[in-house]
Amino acid sequence: MKEDWKTLLSDEFQAPQPKHKKEFLRNLRAREVSMPEMLLQQVAYVRPAIWLFALALVAIAIVGSLMRVETTVNVLTMLMPFSAAIAVLETRRSERCGMAELEMTTRFSLRSVVLARMMILGIVSFLILCISSPMIAAAFDAGTVLTAVRILIPYLITMSISLLAERSPLGRKTGYASLAIASGVSIIIYWIDNYEPNMVAKYLGMIDSWGIMIALGLMAFTAVEQWKTINGVEAFA
């Protein structure tokens, strides 16, 4: 009797056969997501330590400018390479966390994710530069553009070399080549600032004469390396 009731109830409340199922699935499309919206979504996946490091750089610029600490620009110049190294490390984060294969099969391709995160960190570095350079320039009676160029050049050098290294077999094997490169650039800057005053004078003179052209050339070279990295990221995953 119990089985009869189950059969009757099953027949009575059985769901009707879906009509036009194939047409519905064929016309079903995911909602398009704009680039700004995708960037906002990816912001949540940027690690808190990266935001703290960015805030620390801005704090150094603000405090150093207000207190007229003469080494402020030197400290920022030595720390900005690590900002570039962090951005390069983000291109390998999915692979290191074992998520590369999953992200290649989801709505956003792995290339799109890497591009979005590099754009986010690039914007962060640009904001750091825009906030720090005018304050330091005003505090020490220097040119804003030249101050920005002085901070930017080590960043671009680190970024371009790190992107090259990360695509090499050794870089893919170690995974942290960019941090080693950033450390090397920072140590060289520290050594020149403290032990080679003649080189400092020559370097500042070169910045005054050719700094903007050098920065533009490095930006173009870095953009090419970023494009190569983004195009090859799925192949290396």
Side-chain angles (χ1 to χ4, degrees):
M1 188 69 178
K2 185 177 180 181
E3 293 298 326
D4 293 339
W5 275 106
K6 286 184 177 180
T7 303
L8 290 172
L9 289 172
S10 177
D11 293 340
E12 188 68 25
F13 294 100
Q14 186 177 8
Q17 290 296 323
K19 297 180 179 180
H20 309 294
K21 178 181 177 181
K22 292 182 178 180
E23 290 80 356
F24 173 77
L25 293 176
R26 187 164 52 247
N27 295 325
L28 185 63
R29 294 289 184 273
R31 183 178 67 87
E32 293 186 2
V33 178
S34 63
M35 178 58 73
E37 188 175 357
M38 183 184 177
L39 292 177
L40 288 175
Q41 290 178 6
Q42 290 299 317
V43 164
Y45 295 98
V46 177
R47 287 171 287 187
I50 296 176
W51 299 117
L52 291 175
F53 183 73
L55 290 174
L57 293 179
V58 174
I60 290 171
I62 294 173
V63 174
S65 299
L66 293 176
M67 298 184 66
R68 298 292 197 278
V69 180
E70 293 184 359
T71 56
T72 301
V73 67
N74 296 339
V75 172
L76 274 181
T77 303
M78 286 188 292
L79 291 178
M80 281 300 288
F82 291 98
S83 182
I86 289 170
V88 175
L89 284 176
E90 284 297 300
T91 66
R92 300 284 303 280
R93 185 180 175 191
S94 296
E95 182 181 351
R96 287 197 303 273
C97 296
M99 297 294 290
E101 184 176 354
L102 178 61
E103 288 187 346
M104 282 191 288
T105 60
T106 55
R107 183 175 187 182
F108 301 120
S109 67
L110 182 57
R111 285 195 297 179
S112 299
V113 171
V114 171
L115 173 62
R117 291 179 185 172
M118 290 186 72
M119 288 180 66
I120 291 168
L121 296 178
I123 292 170
V124 170
S125 298
F126 178 74
L127 291 176
I128 292 171
L129 200 65
C130 289
I131 295 171
S132 303
S133 300
M135 295 188 64
I136 295 173
F140 299 101
D141 296 325
T144 301
V145 174
L146 293 179
T147 301
V149 167
R150 184 177 174 185
I151 298 171
L152 183 62
I153 286 177
Y155 171 89
L156 293 173
I157 290 174
T158 305
M159 175 71 77
S160 57
I161 297 176
S162 296
L163 289 170
L164 279 168
E166 287 292 337
R167 294 201 312 274
S168 68
L170 179 62
R172 294 198 300 273
K173 184 177 180 180
T174 59
Y176 293 95
S178 56
L179 286 177
I181 293 168
S183 299
V185 172
S186 182
I187 290 171
I188 291 172
I189 294 171
Y190 176 82
W191 177 71
I192 291 174
D193 285 339
N194 289 275
Y195 300 105
E196 296 292 339
N198 292 331
M199 290 184 66
V200 172
K202 292 179 180 178
Y203 176 71
L204 293 178
M206 182 181 67
I207 293 296
D208 288 337
S209 302
W210 302 98
I212 296 176
M213 296 299 295
I214 293 172
L216 290 175
L218 287 171
M219 287 173 67
F221 182 72
T222 302
V224 171
E225 293 305 314
Q226 287 175 329
W227 181 254
K228 291 180 180 178
T229 299
I230 292 168
N231 282 335
V233 69
E234 292 181 349
F236 295 144

